Amino acid sequence: MCLCCAEIALIDGEAIDCCLCGAPQTQAAFARIAADLDRRAMLGGTAAILGMFAGFGLVPSEVRAQTPGRPILLTNLRYFDGSTLAMREGRDILVEAGRIVALPPAGQGPQEAERIDCGGRAVIPGLIDAHWHSTLVAVTQLQAMAGDIGFVHLMAGREAGATLRRGFTTVRDTGGPAFGLKLAIDRGAIPGPRILASGAMISQTSGHGDFRLLNELPRADGDLSYSERAGVVAIADGRAEVLRRTREQLMKGASQIKIMAGGGVTSLYDPLESLQLTEDEMRAAVEAAADWGTYVCAHVYTPEGIQRALRAGVKSIEHGQLADIEAVRMMREEGASWSIQPFLMDEDANPRTDPVQRAKQEEVSAGTVRAFEMGMAEGVNMVFGTDILMNPAGAASQGRQLAKLTRFMPPLEVLRMATGAAGELLAMSGERASYDGRLGVIAKGAMADLLVIEGDPQAGLDWLDRPDESLALIMKGGAVVKEQVQ
């Protein structure tokens, strides 16, 4: 019996499977549809499929897939490669089968290639947001924690298209039920960035991921909260339970594991300075992730929590705005990445009206400037993330928040945080990344994620706040999803 249909009829007393999903004709049709989607023929044979999403704004306004068997050559350009802090000239960019296959000298690309004249504009790698919540960004906290999960996922689908149109071709999802969205994007059903999903955030009881109300305590054995059932969080206490919940996320397809190692702003009951998960509990998650060839990232702000996480083998510190110099140096010595956000208590801050949340938010903001200064001075691998959370109106600030970092470092160093440096972090997922190719760089063999911009990235990044005007071309995996190059 097919699990997707589960239809059985009784004929002469014998159970007969009526589902036609396994029929040769049906399987052949499925294969044809899959092939069409894989070629990203979104404006051709898939138009009928995508039409159902149009009412939610899930269909990009412009999509032009690469002509099968014919490479694309971007010409008349200068480019930032995502690693070297300089603009380069004298090269074209040759794209084939979704990858950058060569950087030939200008004017020497293959004659048969389909040419895109960039008109002297700058080209940069597609941007990476290393701390994004695909299913939690476009809904309020009430909707996320108590609303209809179908609505949550539809809003996430709409926001995925907007994220891509802002030039973010890849996101590392650091918590939430993003596996279905990732699958829909990867199959070409809806537009959106690549997603490296963590799945449910693993939290101790009373930790940053425990969003239960006080009247829901005590917890009965096997009694899951709504946020656990929805896949937003997984509450785990003790080594055995942490192993179980970590392995469940890996089974679902997690690229990396997210744990809560300290107090947070959004949660009401845990103090910001609290240490969460013992070192042994953290190590259990690290060991389970390592068995699958990937790593653990940890939400944590304080020096003590950062150092505990690093001792347990955590390879990515999320936030860390209250770090001291010893914790920062330990990050550098352990080779960990620092996924840090511009929490500056300005107009783009996640809205918080509860006085407890507001006080914690102000404390984190006060440490942000010093954290950036220490990270730069000590040479930690800092990567950009926004952590726009349960803030529908704030999602559009994604590019602007990256541009803010120019107060701490030169523009190309800022761009490296959201391209090459982030790509190095994502590569730590190994085979669990599910994307076979380098991200965040313009180099031979890298994924063909490219932005052609109206602006000078060496002079400033204000253009990031105007993606509709400033992004003349957006390419993801060799497919042109926006083109206004004239």
Side-chain angles (χ1 to χ4, degrees):
M1 179 179 64
C2 173
L3 294 178
C4 68
C5 297
E7 295 184 1
I8 293 181
L10 291 177
I11 299 179
D12 294 332
E14 182 179 356
I16 303 297
D17 186 356
C18 295
C19 173
L20 297 179
C21 289
Q25 297 92 333
T26 306
Q27 291 297 310
F30 285 167
R32 289 194 300 272
I33 293 172
D36 285 342
L37 291 175
D38 288 342
R39 287 194 298 268
R40 304 187 185 276
M42 291 183 175
L43 297 184
T46 61
I49 297 174
L50 295 180
M52 72 180 74
F53 296 106
F56 294 96
L58 300 184
V59 180
S61 57
E62 301 178 45
V63 178
R64 178 163 65 83
Q66 182 174 344
T67 304
R70 188 180 181 192
I72 292 178
L73 186 69
L74 275 65
T75 67
N76 190 13
L77 57 88
R78 51 201 180 90
Y79 69 98
F80 169 63
D81 66 9
S83 300
T84 308
L85 297 179
M87 297 298 294
R88 299 191 169 202
E89 298 181 353
R91 297 277 176 177
D92 292 339
I93 303 174
L94 184 63
V95 173
E96 190 170 9
R99 294 178 183 271
I100 299 170
V101 296
L103 297 169
Q108 297 184 26
Q111 293 300 312
E112 70 275 13
E114 178 182 354
R115 281 168 164 72
I116 297 178
D117 187 336
C118 298
R121 297 177 178 88
V123 181
I124 66 172
L127 299 172
I128 299 171
D129 190 325
H131 195 112
W132 188 247
H133 294 279
S134 306
T135 52
L136 302 177
V137 61
V139 290
T140 66
Q141 184 166 350
L142 181 61
Q143 291 166 339
M145 298 304 166
D148 185 277
I149 194 63
F151 174 79
V152 172
H153 287 303
L154 283 170
M155 293 302 99
R158 183 175 70 174
E159 184 55 43
T163 303
L164 181 59
R165 291 191 294 274
R166 289 192 290 269
F168 287 86
T169 53
T170 302
V171 298
R172 186 180 61 147
D173 190 288
T174 50
F179 297 119
L181 177 63
K182 167 186 168 63
L183 184 62
I185 292 171
D186 289 348
R187 292 191 174 182
I190 62 173
R194 288 187 184 79
I195 298 177
L196 280 78
S198 301
M201 301 169 275
I202 297 174
S203 167
Q204 69 173 42
T205 294
S206 77
H208 180 48
D210 190 345
F211 291 102
R212 293 174 296 167
L213 301 177
L214 294 180
N215 62 9
E216 295 180 84
L217 305 178
R219 175 177 181 159
D221 289 342
D223 183 19
L224 299 180
S225 65
Y226 171 82
S227 58
E228 290 177 280
R229 293 194 305 273
V232 175
V233 299
I235 298 176
D237 298 296
R239 164 174 276 268
E241 195 64 22
V242 171
L243 282 173
R244 181 198 303 270
R245 298 309 179 203
T246 299
R247 289 167 176 166
E248 286 174 348
Q249 304 318 306
L250 292 167
M251 183 177 179
K252 289 182 176 181
S255 295
Q256 63 283 319
I257 297 299
K258 166 79 172 294
I259 65 172
M260 303 304 202
V265 171
T266 308
S267 43
L268 287 172
Y269 306 114
D270 56 327
L272 197 61
E273 72 276 9
S274 63
L275 300 178
Q276 300 179 11
L277 295 178
T278 66
E279 191 170 325
D280 186 55
E281 288 172 322
M282 292 186 196
R283 192 172 289 111
V286 168
E287 291 168 359
D291 285 344
W292 282 51
T294 188
Y295 69 98
V296 172
C297 62
H299 161 103
V300 62
Y301 286 106
T302 63
E304 296 82 0
I306 292 169
Q307 292 186 47
R308 176 185 286 188
L310 293 171
R311 287 195 302 270
V314 167
K315 291 300 182 184
S316 177
I317 298 299
E318 308 301 309
H319 312 313
Q321 275 84 354
L322 303 182
D324 61 14
I325 192 63
E326 288 77 16
V328 172
R329 288 172 177 168
M330 189 174 178
M331 278 190 255
R332 181 194 63 207
E333 292 163 2
E334 295 295 329
S337 290
W338 192 353
S339 172
I340 187 168
Q341 302 73 38
F343 291 156
L344 298 170
M345 209 61 187
D346 55 14
E347 70 280 2
D348 294 323
N350 291 318
R352 299 287 176 256
T353 56
D354 182 272
V356 173
Q357 294 177 330
R358 185 80 176 178
K360 292 193 287 187
Q361 190 176 35
E362 289 175 351
E363 183 178 354
V364 168
S365 176
T368 295
V369 173
R370 183 168 180 264
F372 272 101
E373 292 172 348
M374 287 190 296
M376 290 294 295
E378 296 298 325
V380 180
N381 183 42
M382 302 176 76
V383 302
F384 168 75
T386 53
D387 194 29
I388 302 170
L389 185 63
M390 296 178 282
N391 183 6
S397 72
Q398 192 175 20
R400 179 167 68 246
Q401 297 208 38
L402 178 58
K404 289 178 188 178
L405 301 189
T406 54
R407 67 177 287 184
F408 304 115
M409 64 194 80
L412 292 185
E413 289 195 42
V414 172
L415 282 181
R416 182 168 64 179
M417 284 183 63
T419 54
E424 292 175 10
L425 171 58
L426 270 51
M428 291 175 60
S429 292
E431 295 296 323
R432 302 288 76 76
S434 73
Y435 303 111
D436 184 20
R438 292 180 66 191
L439 295 168
V441 293
I442 297 177
K444 183 178 179 180
M447 302 298 289
D449 297 349
L450 302 167
L451 307 178
V452 178
I453 66 171
E454 302 278 5
D456 182 359
Q458 206 162 11
L461 301 180
D462 289 348
W463 47 269
L464 283 166
D465 193 29
R466 306 181 301 276
D468 290 344
E469 303 170 15
S470 64
L471 300 183
L473 181 141
I474 302 173
M475 176 183 286
K476 176 196 166 193
V480 177
V481 297
K482 175 185 177 182
E483 183 179 3
Q484 294 177 349
V485 178
Q486 296 179 351

Short mmCIF file of all heavy atoms in Angstrom, two decimals, residues 429-475:
data_model
loop_
_atom_site.label_atom_id
_atom_site.label_comp_id
_atom_site.label_asym_id
_atom_site.label_seq_id
_atom_site.Cartn_x
_atom_site.Cartn_y
_atom_site.Cartn_z
N SER A 429 29.86 21.64 7.59
CA SER A 429 28.78 20.65 7.60
C SER A 429 29.10 19.43 6.73
O SER A 429 28.40 18.42 6.81
CB SER A 429 27.47 21.28 7.12
OG SER A 429 27.00 22.22 8.05
N GLY A 430 30.13 19.53 5.89
CA GLY A 430 30.53 18.40 5.06
C GLY A 430 29.39 17.90 4.20
O GLY A 430 28.66 18.68 3.58
N GLU A 431 29.21 16.59 4.18
CA GLU A 431 28.14 15.99 3.37
C GLU A 431 26.76 16.38 3.86
O GLU A 431 25.78 16.32 3.11
CB GLU A 431 28.29 14.48 3.36
CG GLU A 431 29.55 13.96 2.69
CD GLU A 431 29.59 14.30 1.21
OE1 GLU A 431 28.52 14.28 0.57
OE2 GLU A 431 30.68 14.61 0.70
N ARG A 432 26.64 16.76 5.11
CA ARG A 432 25.33 17.15 5.65
C ARG A 432 24.84 18.48 5.08
O ARG A 432 23.68 18.82 5.23
CB ARG A 432 25.38 17.25 7.17
CG ARG A 432 25.81 15.98 7.89
CD ARG A 432 24.79 14.86 7.88
NE ARG A 432 24.71 14.17 6.60
CZ ARG A 432 25.62 13.28 6.16
NH1 ARG A 432 26.69 13.01 6.90
NH2 ARG A 432 25.45 12.67 5.01
N ALA A 433 25.73 19.23 4.43
CA ALA A 433 25.29 20.49 3.82
C ALA A 433 24.32 20.26 2.69
O ALA A 433 23.49 21.12 2.37
CB ALA A 433 26.51 21.28 3.32
N SER A 434 24.42 19.13 2.04
CA SER A 434 23.55 18.71 0.92
C SER A 434 23.74 19.54 -0.34
O SER A 434 22.98 19.40 -1.30
CB SER A 434 22.07 18.68 1.32
OG SER A 434 21.53 19.99 1.45
N TYR A 435 24.74 20.41 -0.35
CA TYR A 435 25.06 21.19 -1.54
C TYR A 435 26.53 20.95 -1.86
O TYR A 435 27.41 21.29 -1.08
CB TYR A 435 24.80 22.68 -1.32
CG TYR A 435 23.37 22.98 -0.92
CD1 TYR A 435 23.07 23.43 0.36
CD2 TYR A 435 22.32 22.78 -1.81
CE1 TYR A 435 21.77 23.69 0.74
CE2 TYR A 435 21.02 23.05 -1.45
CZ TYR A 435 20.73 23.50 -0.17
OH TYR A 435 19.44 23.75 0.19
N ASP A 436 26.78 20.38 -3.01
CA ASP A 436 28.12 19.94 -3.36
C ASP A 436 28.86 21.03 -4.12
O ASP A 436 28.85 21.08 -5.34
CB ASP A 436 28.05 18.66 -4.20
CG ASP A 436 29.43 18.11 -4.51
OD1 ASP A 436 30.37 18.47 -3.79
OD2 ASP A 436 29.55 17.32 -5.46
N GLY A 437 29.51 21.92 -3.39
CA GLY A 437 30.26 22.99 -4.03
C GLY A 437 30.53 24.11 -3.05
O GLY A 437 29.80 24.30 -2.07
N ARG A 438 31.60 24.87 -3.30
CA ARG A 438 31.93 25.98 -2.41
C ARG A 438 30.89 27.09 -2.53
O ARG A 438 30.36 27.36 -3.60
CB ARG A 438 33.31 26.53 -2.76
CG ARG A 438 34.47 25.60 -2.46
CD ARG A 438 35.79 26.24 -2.85
NE ARG A 438 36.08 27.41 -2.00
CZ ARG A 438 37.07 28.28 -2.25
NH1 ARG A 438 37.83 28.13 -3.34
NH2 ARG A 438 37.29 29.30 -1.43
N LEU A 439 30.65 27.73 -1.41
CA LEU A 439 29.69 28.84 -1.35
C LEU A 439 30.40 30.10 -0.89
O LEU A 439 31.37 30.05 -0.14
CB LEU A 439 28.56 28.50 -0.38
CG LEU A 439 27.66 27.32 -0.77
CD1 LEU A 439 26.77 26.92 0.40
CD2 LEU A 439 26.81 27.67 -1.98
N GLY A 440 29.93 31.24 -1.37
CA GLY A 440 30.43 32.51 -0.90
C GLY A 440 31.66 33.02 -1.61
O GLY A 440 32.24 34.03 -1.19
N VAL A 441 32.08 32.38 -2.68
CA VAL A 441 33.28 32.82 -3.39
C VAL A 441 33.04 32.81 -4.90
O VAL A 441 32.18 32.07 -5.41
CB VAL A 441 34.50 31.93 -3.07
CG1 VAL A 441 34.90 32.08 -1.61
CG2 VAL A 441 34.23 30.46 -3.41
N ILE A 442 33.81 33.63 -5.59
CA ILE A 442 33.88 33.57 -7.05
C ILE A 442 35.20 32.90 -7.39
O ILE A 442 36.27 33.52 -7.32
CB ILE A 442 33.78 34.97 -7.68
CG1 ILE A 442 32.42 35.60 -7.34
CG2 ILE A 442 33.97 34.91 -9.19
CD1 ILE A 442 32.25 37.02 -7.87
N ALA A 443 35.14 31.64 -7.68
CA ALA A 443 36.33 30.83 -7.94
C ALA A 443 35.93 29.62 -8.77
O ALA A 443 34.76 29.22 -8.78
CB ALA A 443 36.97 30.37 -6.62
N LYS A 444 36.88 29.06 -9.47
CA LYS A 444 36.62 27.89 -10.29
C LYS A 444 36.08 26.75 -9.42
O LYS A 444 36.65 26.43 -8.38
CB LYS A 444 37.89 27.44 -11.01
CG LYS A 444 37.68 26.25 -11.94
CD LYS A 444 38.97 25.89 -12.65
CE LYS A 444 38.76 24.68 -13.57
NZ LYS A 444 40.02 24.31 -14.28
N GLY A 445 34.97 26.17 -9.84
CA GLY A 445 34.36 25.07 -9.12
C GLY A 445 33.33 25.47 -8.10
O GLY A 445 32.59 24.63 -7.60
N ALA A 446 33.24 26.77 -7.77
CA ALA A 446 32.27 27.23 -6.78
C ALA A 446 30.86 27.24 -7.37
O ALA A 446 30.67 27.28 -8.59
CB ALA A 446 32.65 28.62 -6.29
N MET A 447 29.87 27.22 -6.49
CA MET A 447 28.49 27.35 -6.94
C MET A 447 28.31 28.72 -7.59
O MET A 447 28.84 29.72 -7.10
CB MET A 447 27.53 27.20 -5.77
CG MET A 447 27.67 25.87 -5.02
SD MET A 447 27.31 24.42 -6.03
CE MET A 447 25.55 24.56 -6.22
N ALA A 448 27.56 28.75 -8.68
CA ALA A 448 27.38 29.99 -9.43
C ALA A 448 26.28 30.84 -8.80
O ALA A 448 25.18 30.97 -9.33
CB ALA A 448 27.08 29.69 -10.88
N ASP A 449 26.60 31.40 -7.63
CA ASP A 449 25.73 32.35 -6.95
C ASP A 449 26.38 33.72 -7.10
O ASP A 449 27.43 34.00 -6.50
CB ASP A 449 25.59 32.01 -5.47
CG ASP A 449 24.93 30.66 -5.24
OD1 ASP A 449 24.40 30.08 -6.20
OD2 ASP A 449 24.94 30.19 -4.08
N LEU A 450 25.76 34.60 -7.88
CA LEU A 450 26.40 35.86 -8.26
C LEU A 450 25.41 37.02 -8.21
O LEU A 450 24.24 36.86 -8.56
CB LEU A 450 26.99 35.76 -9.67
CG LEU A 450 28.02 34.64 -9.90
CD1 LEU A 450 28.27 34.45 -11.39
CD2 LEU A 450 29.32 34.97 -9.17
N LEU A 451 25.91 38.17 -7.80
CA LEU A 451 25.13 39.40 -7.81
C LEU A 451 25.87 40.44 -8.64
O LEU A 451 27.07 40.67 -8.43
CB LEU A 451 24.93 39.95 -6.40
CG LEU A 451 24.36 39.01 -5.33
CD1 LEU A 451 24.29 39.74 -3.99
CD2 LEU A 451 23.00 38.48 -5.73
N VAL A 452 25.16 41.07 -9.58
CA VAL A 452 25.69 42.21 -10.32
C VAL A 452 25.05 43.44 -9.71
O VAL A 452 23.82 43.54 -9.66
CB VAL A 452 25.38 42.11 -11.83
CG1 VAL A 452 25.90 43.34 -12.55
CG2 VAL A 452 25.99 40.85 -12.42
N ILE A 453 25.87 44.37 -9.24
CA ILE A 453 25.32 45.45 -8.43
C ILE A 453 25.51 46.82 -9.07
O ILE A 453 26.44 47.06 -9.82
CB ILE A 453 25.96 45.45 -7.02
CG1 ILE A 453 27.45 45.78 -7.09
CG2 ILE A 453 25.74 44.12 -6.33
CD1 ILE A 453 28.06 46.01 -5.73
N GLU A 454 24.56 47.69 -8.73
CA GLU A 454 24.65 49.11 -9.07
C GLU A 454 25.26 49.81 -7.87
O GLU A 454 24.56 50.23 -6.95
CB GLU A 454 23.26 49.68 -9.37
CG GLU A 454 22.51 48.98 -10.48
CD GLU A 454 22.93 49.47 -11.87
OE1 GLU A 454 23.87 50.29 -11.93
OE2 GLU A 454 22.31 49.04 -12.85
N GLY A 455 26.56 49.94 -7.82
CA GLY A 455 27.22 50.54 -6.68
C GLY A 455 28.67 50.10 -6.62
O GLY A 455 29.08 49.17 -7.32
N ASP A 456 29.42 50.75 -5.79
CA ASP A 456 30.83 50.44 -5.63
C ASP A 456 31.04 49.79 -4.26
O ASP A 456 31.04 50.48 -3.24
CB ASP A 456 31.67 51.71 -5.73
CG ASP A 456 33.17 51.44 -5.63
OD1 ASP A 456 33.55 50.27 -5.46
OD2 ASP A 456 33.95 52.41 -5.70
N PRO A 457 31.21 48.47 -4.21
CA PRO A 457 31.33 47.79 -2.91
C PRO A 457 32.58 48.19 -2.14
O PRO A 457 32.64 47.97 -0.92
CB PRO A 457 31.37 46.31 -3.30
CG PRO A 457 31.82 46.28 -4.71
CD PRO A 457 31.30 47.53 -5.33
N GLN A 458 33.54 48.76 -2.81
CA GLN A 458 34.75 49.19 -2.13
C GLN A 458 34.56 50.52 -1.41
O GLN A 458 35.24 50.83 -0.42
CB GLN A 458 35.90 49.32 -3.14
CG GLN A 458 37.27 49.15 -2.54
CD GLN A 458 38.31 48.86 -3.62
OE1 GLN A 458 38.05 48.99 -4.81
NE2 GLN A 458 39.50 48.46 -3.19
N ALA A 459 33.58 51.29 -1.87
CA ALA A 459 33.34 52.62 -1.31
C ALA A 459 32.32 52.62 -0.19
O ALA A 459 32.38 53.45 0.73
CB ALA A 459 32.90 53.58 -2.41
N GLY A 460 31.38 51.72 -0.22
CA GLY A 460 30.33 51.68 0.79
C GLY A 460 29.30 50.63 0.45
O GLY A 460 29.29 50.05 -0.65
N LEU A 461 28.39 50.37 1.40
CA LEU A 461 27.40 49.29 1.22
C LEU A 461 25.96 49.77 1.40
O LEU A 461 25.06 48.96 1.57
CB LEU A 461 27.69 48.15 2.21
CG LEU A 461 29.07 47.49 2.13
CD1 LEU A 461 29.20 46.38 3.18
CD2 LEU A 461 29.33 46.92 0.74
N ASP A 462 25.74 51.06 1.33
CA ASP A 462 24.38 51.57 1.49
C ASP A 462 23.42 50.99 0.45
O ASP A 462 22.21 50.90 0.69
CB ASP A 462 24.37 53.09 1.41
CG ASP A 462 25.02 53.74 2.64
OD1 ASP A 462 25.25 53.03 3.62
OD2 ASP A 462 25.30 54.96 2.59
N TRP A 463 23.94 50.60 -0.69
CA TRP A 463 23.10 50.04 -1.75
C TRP A 463 22.41 48.74 -1.32
O TRP A 463 21.41 48.34 -1.92
CB TRP A 463 23.94 49.80 -3.01
CG TRP A 463 25.23 49.11 -2.75
CD1 TRP A 463 26.44 49.70 -2.49
CD2 TRP A 463 25.46 47.69 -2.72
NE1 TRP A 463 27.41 48.74 -2.29
CE2 TRP A 463 26.84 47.50 -2.43
CE3 TRP A 463 24.66 46.58 -2.91
CZ2 TRP A 463 27.41 46.24 -2.33
CZ3 TRP A 463 25.22 45.31 -2.80
CH2 TRP A 463 26.58 45.16 -2.51
N LEU A 464 22.92 48.09 -0.28
CA LEU A 464 22.29 46.86 0.20
C LEU A 464 20.87 47.10 0.72
O LEU A 464 20.06 46.17 0.76
CB LEU A 464 23.14 46.23 1.31
CG LEU A 464 24.38 45.48 0.87
CD1 LEU A 464 25.30 45.22 2.05
CD2 LEU A 464 24.01 44.17 0.19
N ASP A 465 20.58 48.31 1.11
CA ASP A 465 19.25 48.64 1.63
C ASP A 465 18.26 48.91 0.52
O ASP A 465 17.08 49.14 0.80
CB ASP A 465 19.35 49.85 2.57
CG ASP A 465 18.09 50.06 3.39
OD1 ASP A 465 17.40 49.07 3.67
OD2 ASP A 465 17.79 51.23 3.74
N ARG A 466 18.70 48.88 -0.74
CA ARG A 466 17.82 49.13 -1.89
C ARG A 466 17.96 48.01 -2.92
O ARG A 466 18.36 48.26 -4.07
CB ARG A 466 18.15 50.48 -2.53
CG ARG A 466 18.13 51.66 -1.56
CD ARG A 466 18.44 52.98 -2.27
NE ARG A 466 19.76 52.95 -2.92
CZ ARG A 466 20.91 53.21 -2.31
NH1 ARG A 466 20.93 53.48 -1.02
NH2 ARG A 466 22.06 53.17 -2.97
N PRO A 467 17.68 46.78 -2.54
CA PRO A 467 17.95 45.66 -3.47
C PRO A 467 17.17 45.75 -4.77
O PRO A 467 17.68 45.33 -5.81
CB PRO A 467 17.55 44.42 -2.65
CG PRO A 467 16.62 44.93 -1.60
CD PRO A 467 17.09 46.30 -1.28
N ASP A 468 15.96 46.28 -4.74
CA ASP A 468 15.19 46.39 -5.98
C ASP A 468 15.89 47.26 -7.00
O ASP A 468 15.84 47.01 -8.20
CB ASP A 468 13.79 46.95 -5.69
CG ASP A 468 12.91 45.97 -4.94
OD1 ASP A 468 13.26 44.77 -4.91
OD2 ASP A 468 11.90 46.41 -4.37
N GLU A 469 16.59 48.30 -6.52
CA GLU A 469 17.30 49.22 -7.41
C GLU A 469 18.74 48.78 -7.66
O GLU A 469 19.26 48.94 -8.76
CB GLU A 469 17.31 50.62 -6.81
CG GLU A 469 15.94 51.20 -6.50
CD GLU A 469 16.05 52.48 -5.69
OE1 GLU A 469 17.17 53.05 -5.63
OE2 GLU A 469 15.03 52.92 -5.12
N SER A 470 19.39 48.27 -6.63
CA SER A 470 20.84 48.09 -6.70
C SER A 470 21.27 46.73 -7.23
O SER A 470 22.42 46.58 -7.66
CB SER A 470 21.46 48.30 -5.32
OG SER A 470 21.00 47.32 -4.41
N LEU A 471 20.41 45.75 -7.22
CA LEU A 471 20.79 44.43 -7.72
C LEU A 471 20.31 44.29 -9.16
O LEU A 471 19.14 44.04 -9.42
CB LEU A 471 20.21 43.33 -6.84
CG LEU A 471 20.64 43.36 -5.36
CD1 LEU A 471 20.05 42.17 -4.61
CD2 LEU A 471 22.16 43.36 -5.24
N ALA A 472 21.24 44.48 -10.07
CA ALA A 472 20.90 44.41 -11.49
C ALA A 472 20.73 42.98 -11.97
O ALA A 472 20.04 42.73 -12.96
CB ALA A 472 21.97 45.12 -12.32
N LEU A 473 21.38 42.06 -11.30
CA LEU A 473 21.26 40.65 -11.68
C LEU A 473 21.46 39.81 -10.43
O LEU A 473 22.35 40.08 -9.62
CB LEU A 473 22.28 40.26 -12.74
CG LEU A 473 22.24 38.79 -13.22
CD1 LEU A 473 22.50 38.71 -14.73
CD2 LEU A 473 23.27 37.93 -12.48
N ILE A 474 20.61 38.81 -10.26
CA ILE A 474 20.74 37.81 -9.19
C ILE A 474 20.80 36.45 -9.85
O ILE A 474 19.88 36.07 -10.59
CB ILE A 474 19.58 37.87 -8.19
CG1 ILE A 474 19.46 39.26 -7.55
CG2 ILE A 474 19.74 36.80 -7.12
CD1 ILE A 474 18.22 39.43 -6.69
N MET A 475 21.86 35.72 -9.57
CA MET A 475 22.01 34.36 -10.10
C MET A 475 22.21 33.41 -8.93
O MET A 475 23.03 33.65 -8.05
CB MET A 475 23.20 34.26 -11.05
CG MET A 475 23.47 32.85 -11.57
SD MET A 475 24.95 32.75 -12.63
CE MET A 475 24.33 33.53 -14.13
#
